[in-house]
Amino acid sequence: MPGVLKLRSAGGQAAPLRPLHGIPITEIRSVGDQRARALRKAGIHTAEDLLYYFPRRHVDRSDVRRICDLMDGTDVTIVGTVHSAGIVRGKRPRFVVILTDGTGFVQCVWFQGYRYLQNAFRKGEQLAVSGRVARFGSVWEIAHPEFDRLGMTGESSGIHTGKIIPLYPSSQELEAVQLDSRGFRRIIAACLASYRSAIRETLPEDIRERRRLVTLRFALENVHFPASLEALHQARRRLKFDELFYLELLLALRHKVLERQEKRSRVRRIGEATRKLIQALPFQLTAAQRRVLREIYADMRSEKPMHRLLQGDVGSGKTIVAAIAMVMAVENGYQAALMAPTEILAEQHYLTLRSLLSDLGITVCLLIGGMSQAEKEAARQEIASGKAEIIVGTHALIQEEVTFPALGLVVIDEQHRFGVMQRRLLQEKSPNPDVLMMTATPIPRTLSMTVYGDLDVSVIDEPPAGRKRVKTVWRDSSYRPRIYHFLKSELEKGRQAYVVFPLVEESEKSDLKAATDCYEKMRATMFRHIPTGLLHGRLPKEEKERVMREFKDGRLRLLVSTTVVEVGVDVPNATIMIIEHAERFGLTQLHQLRGRVGRGAEQSYCILISYGQLTPEAERRLQTMVNTDNGFEIAEIDLQMRGPGEFFGTRQHGFPELRIADLIKDAALLAAAREEAFRLAEKDPHLTDPAHEALRDYFIRHYREALDFVKVG
C-alpha cells in the first residue's frame, strides 16, 4: 500500500481529539471572517466539510508535457508562465494568451465568449492549460483550453509544485477571498496538519479488509495531496465506496423496518366487482399485466404491507392495473387513495376511474387544491365518513384535516415527482397501508439499486395487443409546411392529432413559437374547418376539463397544447404527435409525449421539428428518439447524458448528493457496497453494536431526514 502523506502541525503539537464535524472553519489557519463567510455560502462550515470538499480533477505536475516536446494533434497538459495576453483584431477577432515554460511558446486562443477573460490574466502568472495542440507553421496553438491558475512565478511551496496537484471547484465569491485552487490547497493542508488525528474511521474493519479499502485518514489525505497516482486511485475508491455504502445501508435499514411491519388492511379474496371490471374491459389484459396483478394480489394478501414499484412504459396499461388493485381493496372493506403530482392528471384519473367503475356501485371522490372551499369540505366529509371508497387527489390528500377511517391501499402515480416526506405523510394516514408506486419513466438498473433499492419491483414490459410501433421522424423547420399538409390530410381521414409547444405564450426572451399563437393561426388558415382546441396549464380548471373531454370524445380533432398533455390524456384515435422546438425538450419528456399516440390500432406518427443550430446533446436526444421506442434504452441514454441527480432529482428521495461516486462508472463498486450494506443491516439492524458507533454517528448526522422512521441507535 502506498505510503501515507506526512503532515504535521506548525507547532508540532498533538492534534485535538474533537470530532471533525465539531471544529468550525474559523479555527483553521488562514481562514478569517471574510473567508469563513464565503466558505459557508459554499456549504463549508466545519473541518469535516472542508476535507470532503473534493478536487474536481488533478494535474500531475511531475509528468507535464514540455512545450519543446509537443506533438501535433495530441491532448496535452502544459504548465507555463503568462508571457502576454490580449485581443487580436482582424477578420476573426480572438483573445490570445501566450505561455512559456522556458523551452518554447504556445498560444492559447479563444474565438468566442472571451470578453470576460480580457482582464483575467496577469503577466508572470502560472497556468496549467489542457487541450488539443495544433501546429500552424512555427506556432503551437490550443483552442479554447481548460485552464487553472497556479499562482505567480517565484512563489514556492511543497503543496503547489513537483507532484500531483489538486484543482478545486471555485466561484467568484471564493476567488474574491483568494480561495482558488491555490488558496484551497493552503487551507486544506493546514486543516490536515492540525486535525489529521481527528479523522475517525467509520467503516467496520471486516468490510475494509474484505473489500481491500484504505483507511479513511489515508483516503482524505491522498485525495487532496496524493503521494502517487496509485495512492490517488485508492483514496478515490475508498471515498466512492463510502458514499455508495451509506446510500445502500439506508435502503437496507428501511427494508428491515418494512419487514417487521404488520398491517390491518389484509385482502382475503377477489370479489365479484373485480371480476366484473376485468370482464367489462374492451380489451384483454396482457400477460405482463396479469403477472403484475398476481404479484400485487400476493402482496395485498400478505400480513406485511406492500411496498411495490410498478414500472411500465408509456401506454403499457399501468392505470388499469392500479384500478383493479383499488377495487380489490374496496371489496375487502378498505378505502384506496391515488395521489397524482398535478391537478390535471388527478382530474383525468378521477374521470377515468369514475367511468370504469360507474356500473360497480363504487364511489369515487376527487380532492385537489383548485376546488372551492365548499367542494373540498364536502369531499373531506365523504372521505371521513367512509362513503368515499376510492379517493383521487394531489398533495391536498396529505393535509392534516383529511382523515381516512379505513385506508388500505395507497397508489402514488409518477411517484418520482413527490418527495420522501410527501409520500410518507399519505402512508401515515393509516397504520401501514399497502403502497403501490407507479412510474412511466423506466428506471435504469443503477438507479433501481439505489433510489428504489428497498422496494419490490414489478415491470409491465409488454405493449397492449394490436399496438403498432409509432413511426418517429426528425425534421428541421424547413419541412414545416409539408408536415402540416400531411397533418391536414390525416385529420381529414377522421384521425386526431396533437401539436405540442414548450411555452404558453410568446416571451421577449425566447424565440419559441407559442401554443397560443399557433392555435390562432391554425384556426384562421388551413385548419379553419377542423375543430381545434387549446390546452395549457394556465387555463381555468373548468376549461381544461371541457377541452380534454371534447378531445377525448372526438368533438375536437386537433389539440394544440403545452406539455400538460404528456400526462392525463388518453385518446386511442389520436395518431399524430407533432413536437415543435423538439430540441428544447428532455429525452424522457419527448418519450412521454410520444406515448400519447399509438394507443389504437391505426398507424401513428411522432414528428420532431427542430429550429436552428443544435448542440451535440440535442442532436443525440432527437436521434435517440428516431432510433428506438424502448423506454428502458431511452432511460439509460438519458441517465448517461444528464446524470442521476438530474435524471430523477435524487434529493427528492432524501438522499444526499453524490460528490465523488458516479452511479454509471462505479456500478461494480455500487454492487459491492450494496452487498456489504445488506449484510450489515441483517446483523445489526439498529446499529447498536459498539463496533458500529462511528458509523452510526456519521449516519445520523448526514441522513437525519431519511432516518426519521428507521430507528437507529
Side-chain angles (χ1 to χ4, degrees), residues 50 55 67 108 121 178 251 374-375 405 500 527 534 537 671 704:
L50 183 62
I67 294 173
C108 304
F121 299 97
Q178 286 79 53
L251 295 170
E375 288 173 324
V500 179
F527 296 95
L534 175 66
R704 191 175 303 278

Side-chain angles (χ1 to χ4, degrees), residues 344-370:
I344 196 167
L345 181 53
E347 290 163 7
Q348 179 65 25
H349 278 315
Y350 168 69
L351 294 172
T352 299
L353 288 169
R354 199 172 64 174
S355 172
L356 271 174
L357 309 180
S358 59
D359 295 333
L360 301 180
I362 292 175
T363 305
V364 184
C365 169
L366 178 68
L367 180 59
I368 57 175

Side-chain angles (χ1 to χ4, degrees), residues 224-398:
H224 293 292
F225 301 107
S228 65
L229 288 174
E230 175 60 20
L232 174 60
H233 170 73
Q234 293 296 340
R236 287 176 59 82
R237 182 172 176 270
R238 163 62 199 268
L239 295 168
K240 288 178 178 184
F241 184 92
D242 280 8
E243 284 190 338
L244 299 171
F245 175 76
Y246 298 140
L247 275 181
E248 294 298 336
L249 183 57
L250 175 59
L251 295 170
L253 295 177
R254 280 185 178 179
H255 192 72
K256 294 301 292 183
V257 168
L258 298 178
E259 279 186 346
R260 293 192 299 271
Q261 289 179 342
E262 292 189 1
K263 65 185 181 187
R264 70 178 187 186
S265 55
R266 190 175 173 191
V267 165
R268 300 186 182 277
R269 65 187 179 89
I270 294 177
E272 193 60 30
T274 303
R275 293 190 180 91
K276 279 185 179 178
L277 172 58
I278 294 172
Q279 289 166 4
L281 293 174
F283 51 81
Q284 289 284 322
L285 293 175
T286 64
Q289 287 173 312
R290 292 195 299 271
R291 182 189 71 242
V292 167
L293 278 168
R294 286 194 296 271
E295 293 168 349
I296 291 170
Y297 178 53
D299 283 352
M300 294 175 74
R301 290 187 65 190
S302 167
E303 295 176 355
K304 306 298 181 186
M306 171 170 67
H307 288 271
R308 185 167 291 276
L309 176 68
L310 175 56
Q311 292 190 66
D313 218 336
V314 285
S316 61
K318 296 180 300 300
T319 303
I320 191 61
V321 167
I324 294 168
M326 288 189 281
V327 172
M328 283 195 285
V330 169
E331 283 195 302
N332 283 267
Y334 306 110
Q335 292 171 299
L338 191 161
M339 186 164 72
T342 64
E343 292 194 4
I344 196 167
L345 181 53
E347 290 163 7
Q348 179 65 25
H349 278 315
Y350 168 69
L351 294 172
T352 299
L353 288 169
R354 199 172 64 174
S355 172
L356 271 174
L357 309 180
S358 59
D359 295 333
L360 301 180
I362 292 175
T363 305
V364 184
C365 169
L366 178 68
L367 180 59
I368 57 175
M371 294 164 59
S372 69
Q373 284 303 319
E375 288 173 324
K376 282 193 262 192
E377 182 55 35
R380 286 195 287 261
Q381 287 180 10
E382 278 199 349
I383 297 167
S385 69
K387 181 182 175 184
E389 296 165 298
I390 293 179
I391 303 93
V392 182
T394 54
H395 305 80
L397 292 177
I398 62 178

Side-chain angles (χ1 to χ4, degrees), residues 402-418:
V402 181
T403 58
F404 297 80
L407 182 61
L409 172 63
V410 171
V411 179
I412 301 174
D413 195 17
E414 292 299 316
Q415 59 79 39
H416 60 276
R417 295 168 69 172
F418 292 102

Side-chain angles (χ1 to χ4, degrees), residues 119-249:
N119 301 311
F121 299 97
R122 294 176 293 166
K123 187 173 181 178
E125 180 182 18
Q126 276 204 324
L127 300 179
V129 298
S130 299
R132 180 154 293 184
V133 68
R135 181 104 184 191
F136 297 98
S138 61
V139 178
W140 289 110
E141 180 176 293
I142 304 177
H144 293 271
E146 289 189 27
F147 67 91
D148 289 283
R149 306 175 198 289
L150 303 178
M152 295 298 292
T153 307
E155 293 182 331
S156 63
S157 169
I159 61 173
H160 300 305
T161 58
K163 56 183 67 176
I164 303 165
I165 302 299
L167 302 174
Y168 293 90
S170 194
S171 66
Q172 285 187 336
E173 280 186 298
L174 290 168
E175 290 189 2
V177 290
Q178 286 79 53
L179 283 176
D180 53 8
S181 287
R182 193 175 185 84
F184 268 111
R185 286 195 291 273
R186 284 200 183 103
I187 64 170
I188 289 172
C191 183
L192 283 169
S194 298
Y195 302 116
R196 64 189 301 271
S197 62
I199 298 173
R200 193 179 181 196
E201 184 57 67
T202 53
L203 275 186
E205 188 175 355
D206 61 323
I207 294 177
R208 283 194 290 112
E209 288 181 356
R210 255 193 315 273
R211 300 299 170 177
R212 301 190 176 199
L213 298 166
V214 297
T215 65
L216 184 58
R217 181 183 295 180
F218 179 94
L220 288 173
E221 289 176 343
N222 281 273
V223 79
H224 293 292
F225 301 107
S228 65
L229 288 174
E230 175 60 20
L232 174 60
H233 170 73
Q234 293 296 340
R236 287 176 59 82
R237 182 172 176 270
R238 163 62 199 268
L239 295 168
K240 288 178 178 184
F241 184 92
D242 280 8
E243 284 190 338
L244 299 171
F245 175 76
Y246 298 140
L247 275 181
E248 294 298 336
L249 183 57

